[in-house]
Amino acid sequence: MSLMQTDFTEASSAPPNVMIIFGAGGDLTARKLIPALFHLSNARLLPESFAVLGLDRLDFDDDGFRDRMAEQIKAHVGEVFDQAIWDWLLARIHYMKIDMLSGPDYELLCERLSRIDAERGTEGNYLFYMAIPPSLFGKVTDHLGEVGLLHETEDDWRRVIIEKPFGRDLDSAIALNNELHRNMDEDQIYRIDHYLGKETVQNIMVFRFANGFIEPLWNRQHIDHVQITVAESVGVEHRGAYYEEAGAMRDMIPNHLLVLLGFVAMEPPNSFEATALRDEVNKVLDAIQPLTPEQVLTCAVRGQYGAGSMPNGEQVQAYRSSQGVDPNSHTETFAALKLGMDNWRWAGVPFYLRTGKRLTAQYTEIAIQFKRAPTIMFKDTEVEELEPDMLVLRIQPNEGIQMSFGAKVPGPTMKIGAVNMDFCYEDYFGNKPATGYETLIYDCMKGDATLYKHADTVEKGWEIVQSVLDVWNALPPREFPNYAAGTWGPPAAGDLTKNDGRLWRRIEIPKARGR
Ligand SMILES: NC(=O)c1ccc[n+]([C@@H]2O[C@H](COP(=O)([O-])OP(=O)(O)OC[C@H]3O[C@@H](n4cnc5c(N)ncnc54)[C@H](OP(=O)(O)O)[C@@H]3O)[C@@H](O)[C@H]2O)c1
């Protein structure tokens, strides 16, 4: 699988296939999917027998759609753009206008696919990518099932990539899984979370399990607590109407943050096979203690941003003034949680999670704070207390790993200062332009579901947050907006750690030094 490869150029190309994109006229296709295919073809990872079929209700023919993609590609792949690579890909891109809710259109789709398959030699392997609103997932797969396009044989495969959100609460997540299972086996379903395509997320496992010195420290004996921060400096942009229905908790915690937590807290899997890895993540989610309604009041914090000033001086409007947002909205744009785990490795170690929009910086990290060393040796010196050592796994930007620890400040007296050892991926391995979708699309073509989410994982994630959603729903917030744009969230989030005698880490984003 791709996980253990340090360089894509060493990997073999995917098998022949057609990637059929539902929602080809949308934002995701232009910004992420086509650029990801460009990067894959640049790395020679797409097979010669490859085609893309874009589906949408826009009125295009093949050439019109190619022109539309060509207009945008340079903006999304930047300086690595290469005309020859693009021409190779472009020649394989097709388009078909379709009403995704109309049965007869799927008969036409079958015919079109058969023709492309015969022309391109794609051997009947179809990857359907659902770049469409989640309300359509079940309807589209029903139609695909009716015309036999989800039927696999020994000679060909049919796989479906589903975009998040996977439901908006536990009941709807179960309903969505049931809808999908009406026409497919679980191993045909690839639920994508592009966070898992990021190098550092995969590297959490390499760091933990390929380095002998780390694992003995990775437990309640040595770790005081873990903080996971997924901060966005952007607001809701043009997605106000969508966000009103979601909110920070639904949008981020059951998927991104709990997946990061799963990878940090998991036991070593027996192998990097999809089932082994997912089983270990599921065990972590099973071990998380669901919050009682009383605990929700002390262990969960919500917030909504008001107008404010971003660090670059930009004055931004309040969430409630955004397009598509109710002026009295109760939707949270910030959520923080304190979770605990009932297992041997992590009993008593709190995991603090926070995420929000319009925070000070666009930044994702996992900070592991180690227990303080005893101060006995320093009792006759000026040192009153030793700062705890901290390991930071930085997911974005400047993916890397930072270790901060105490060192003697030079001079005649004993003083200790915190110093950092910092490793940026870019400094060692160069900057590989990527959207985060390359690894995942390539893995799906290869039939490797390791970095995709299983139905069980999705449902377990929702089980964990459902108790919070229920309490928040029953008790509408009275104090919104409760943090200014450009800050690190509401004061109550600070209390979450302060009440335990801890502090959120002060985040400073190091710059990559370049090679
Ligand atoms: N954009 C992102 O960065 C991003 C990130 C993470 C996840 N996602 C997920 O990815 C999916 C797609 O997002 P997106 O932002 O690309 O959405 P989008 O811009 O709204 O694209 C969806 C496309 O599907 C078309 N469509 C909808 N219903 C149709 C129908 N019945 N028949 C034919 N075409 C139809 C839409 O046409 P109309 O415009 O005419 O409705 C639109 O062109 C969503 O599930 C979203 O949650 C997106």
Side-chain angles (χ1 to χ4, degrees):
M1 61 163 294
S2 61
L3 187 68
M4 300 307 296
Q5 286 151 2
T6 52
D7 191 342
F8 257 155
T9 53
E10 292 160 14
S12 61
S13 87
N17 72 92
V18 186
M19 178 164 156
I20 301 109
I21 304 177
F22 283 88
D27 175 69
L28 188 71
T29 303
R31 276 195 317 116
K32 303 289 183 185
L33 304 185
I34 299 292
L37 290 176
F38 172 86
H39 289 138
L40 283 176
S41 86
N42 203 5
R44 306 282 187 273
L45 289 178
L46 294 180
E48 195 55 34
S49 301
F50 175 69
V52 175
L53 176 61
L55 304 175
D56 207 292
R57 53 183 157 209
L58 295 168
D59 210 359
F60 286 124
D61 57 10
D62 282 3
D63 285 339
F65 184 65
R66 287 174 186 163
D67 289 346
R68 182 182 166 101
M69 294 298 108
E71 276 163 24
Q72 304 189 43
I73 188 70
K74 285 188 190 161
H76 297 308
V77 301
E79 60 191 31
V80 296
F81 180 78
D82 178 308
Q83 191 64 49
I85 301 287
W86 178 238
D87 288 344
W88 181 93
L89 182 62
L90 203 58
R92 286 166 174 76
I93 296 181
H94 305 267
Y95 180 81
M96 180 177 166
K97 182 182 172 184
I98 182 175
D99 176 358
M100 293 174 203
L101 299 177
S102 150
D105 281 13
Y106 287 79
E107 302 288 349
L108 300 173
L109 174 61
C110 279
E111 289 167 23
R112 183 74 195 271
L113 267 176
S114 298
R115 284 203 302 278
I116 293 175
D117 190 39
E119 282 165 22
R120 297 281 174 196
T122 43
E123 300 179 7
N125 296 327
Y126 299 153
L127 190 176
F128 298 98
Y129 199 115
M130 300 290 149
I132 45 177
S135 57
L136 293 180
F137 294 164
K139 296 182 180 97
V140 168
T141 50
D142 278 350
H143 283 303
L144 289 173
E146 277 158 24
V147 294
L149 281 173
L150 295 176
H151 179 70
E152 299 189 297
T153 68
E154 281 193 359
D155 301 323
D156 55 39
W157 49 258
R158 306 290 159 94
R159 297 175 191 143
V160 177
I161 297 185
I162 304 285
E163 268 289 344
K164 75 163 193 122
F166 314 117
R168 64 180 314 276
D169 52 20
L170 179 57
D171 288 345
S172 58
I174 294 171
L176 174 62
N177 283 336
N178 291 341
E179 275 186 274
L180 297 173
H181 289 146
R182 273 201 302 256
N183 294 288
M184 287 175 284
D185 292 333
E186 178 62 22
D187 64 8
Q188 291 178 272
I189 306 170
Y190 289 68
R191 295 176 193 80
I192 197 163
D193 181 345
H194 69 277
Y195 259 68
L196 292 185
K198 293 201 178 288
E199 287 291 325
T200 326
V201 176
Q202 299 169 50
N203 223 0
I204 295 170
M205 281 182 291
V206 173
F207 183 65
R208 284 190 56 193
F209 304 130
N211 295 301
F213 75 99
I214 262 302
E215 204 45 29
L217 303 176
W218 212 257
N219 54 49
R220 60 191 299 273
Q221 271 81 40
H222 300 283
I223 291 178
D224 178 74
H225 73 277
V226 176
Q227 301 182 6
I228 302 182
T229 299
V230 179
E232 294 182 285
S233 56
V234 292
V236 287
E237 316 294 298
H238 57 281
R239 301 181 81 207
Y242 160 78
Y243 202 80
E244 274 289 89
E245 294 297 312
M249 175 68 95
R250 287 187 164 90
D251 198 37
M252 301 297 283
I253 303 231
N255 38 65
H256 298 330
L257 278 90
L258 288 182
V259 168
L260 294 179
L261 187 154
F263 278 53
V264 170
M266 66 171 15
E267 294 301 316
N270 289 344
S271 73
F272 276 110
E273 291 304 312
T275 317
L277 219 116
R278 288 162 161 192
D279 283 353
E280 294 305 335
V281 170
N282 283 350
K283 276 193 224 161
V284 170
L285 299 184
D286 274 338
I288 293 177
Q289 303 148 0
L291 298 177
T292 62
E294 292 72 34
Q295 286 171 324
V296 170
L297 301 178
T298 53
C299 297
V301 172
R302 59 185 152 170
Q304 188 193 74
Y305 65 84
S309 168
M310 299 305 289
N312 63 2
E314 184 195 358
Q315 299 296 315
V316 297
Q317 61 179 4
Y319 172 70
R320 288 179 175 182
S321 308
S322 310
Q323 193 190 347
V325 171
D326 178 348
N328 297 309
S329 172
H330 285 164
T331 302
E332 80 285 352
T333 59
F334 177 97
L337 277 182
K338 174 183 156 186
L339 296 173
M341 251 173 267
D342 267 337
N343 64 18
W344 190 260
R345 189 188 283 263
W346 296 114
V349 178
F351 283 70
Y352 300 99
L353 278 51
R354 63 176 168 171
T355 182
K357 288 200 175 285
R358 283 291 184 218
L359 300 182
T360 315
Q362 189 80 16
Y363 186 75
T364 300
E365 72 164 30
I366 300 162
I368 290 119
Q369 182 166 316
F370 289 89
K371 292 193 168 162
R372 289 170 205 269
T375 44
I376 312 157
M377 212 186 113
F378 299 96
K379 61 180 182 298
D380 297 328
T381 71
E382 290 178 26
V383 177
E384 285 174 9
E385 197 177 45
L386 296 172
E387 286 303 311
D389 301 329
M390 179 91 80
L391 175 76
V392 178
L393 306 172
R394 209 168 40 244
I395 314 286
Q396 68 171 18
N398 302 339
E399 299 179 65
I401 297 172
Q402 178 185 315
M403 180 83 216
S404 44
F405 54 93
K408 185 180 175 302
V409 178
T413 57
M414 176 55 80
K415 283 187 184 163
I416 297 179
V419 294
N420 286 333
M421 257 180 358
D422 205 327
F423 151 71
C424 276
Y425 278 90
E426 192 182 331
D427 294 339
Y428 280 80
F429 302 116
N431 187 9
K432 293 205 173 61
T435 61
Y437 283 74
E438 290 78 3
T439 306
L440 294 163
I441 292 174
Y442 173 73
D443 280 358
C444 179
M445 289 175 182
K446 301 273 272 187
D448 182 347
T450 310
L451 298 177
Y452 285 88
K453 293 182 114 182
H454 192 273
D456 288 350
T457 316
V458 171
E459 290 174 21
K460 285 178 200 299
W462 281 113
E463 270 168 33
I464 292 164
V465 300
Q466 191 61 52
S467 54
V468 181
L469 292 172
D470 289 344
V471 173
W472 284 2
N473 200 26
L475 302 173
R478 276 177 294 182
E479 74 288 19
F480 277 6
N482 59 354
Y483 70 99
T487 64
W488 280 109
D495 297 340
L496 199 63
T497 49
K498 238 181 256 163
N499 293 342
D500 295 341
R502 301 180 172 105
L503 286 175
W504 288 105
R505 198 177 89 83
R506 204 158 63 88
I507 287 173
E508 286 157 17
I509 306 172
K511 291 195 169 36
R513 288 177 289 276
R515 300 181 91 187

